[in-house]
Amino acid sequence: MATILHIAFVEQWEAAREAGCYRWSTRGTSLDDGATFIHASRPEQVAVVANFVYADVTEPLCLLVIDTERLVSALCEEPVGDQMFPHIYGPLNLDAVVDVRRYEQGADGRWPAVTAQAVS
């Protein structure tokens, strides 16, 4: 099973479970606002993204662990800076989310690194 991760606010994930699909692209932007894809990361990219996009957030976030083989929407690898990131073009179907992990800042106020083993 190939997996990717999406950083989410707990409340948005809970609302998605009630709605039947997840539509948040990234912090403050959803597919309903005109975003064309949902941002995702591989484990080694999560901390970089979290510390850039969510640096001022103090509440716990969650990591949606996504089985790429279960995705209904298209998945594309695209360059962002000097790295390739997975992007989901369309809503995230809930059955593709195989786990949800709590993600909290460390004592130093930074979002910690995530290993592949931690989400497998």
Side-chain angles (χ1 to χ4, degrees):
M1 167 176 71
T3 59
I4 56 175
L5 303 166
H6 174 77
I7 303 168
F9 285 100
V10 174
E11 301 81 31
Q12 291 172 345
W13 169 242
E14 290 172 355
R17 289 177 57 203
E18 291 180 25
C21 70
Y22 184 87
R23 301 182 59 82
W24 286 95
S25 173
T26 190
R27 182 180 183 183
T29 307
S30 76
L31 298 177
D32 299 324
D33 299 326
T36 56
F37 60 85
I38 295 172
H39 291 265
S41 304
R42 283 180 286 291
E44 65 274 11
Q45 297 170 319
V46 169
V48 172
V49 172
N51 285 302
F52 180 72
V53 179
Y54 299 89
D56 63 332
V57 173
T58 57
E59 66 189 271
L61 299 172
C62 61
L63 297 176
L64 306 182
V65 181
I66 302 163
D67 179 347
T68 60
E69 296 171 8
R70 294 184 181 190
L71 285 172
V72 173
S73 297
L75 176 66
C76 297
E77 291 280 331
E78 297 178 315
V80 177
D82 61 353
Q83 293 189 51
M84 298 295 285
F85 281 83
H87 293 154
I88 303 167
Y89 277 85
L92 172 58
N93 49 301
L94 300 185
D95 62 330
V97 179
V98 295
D99 199 4
V100 179
R101 303 285 176 97
R102 190 171 173 93
Y103 190 49
E104 297 181 22
Q105 288 174 313
D108 62 357
R110 295 189 50 78
W111 297 98
V114 175
T115 64
Q117 295 82 8
V119 292
S120 62

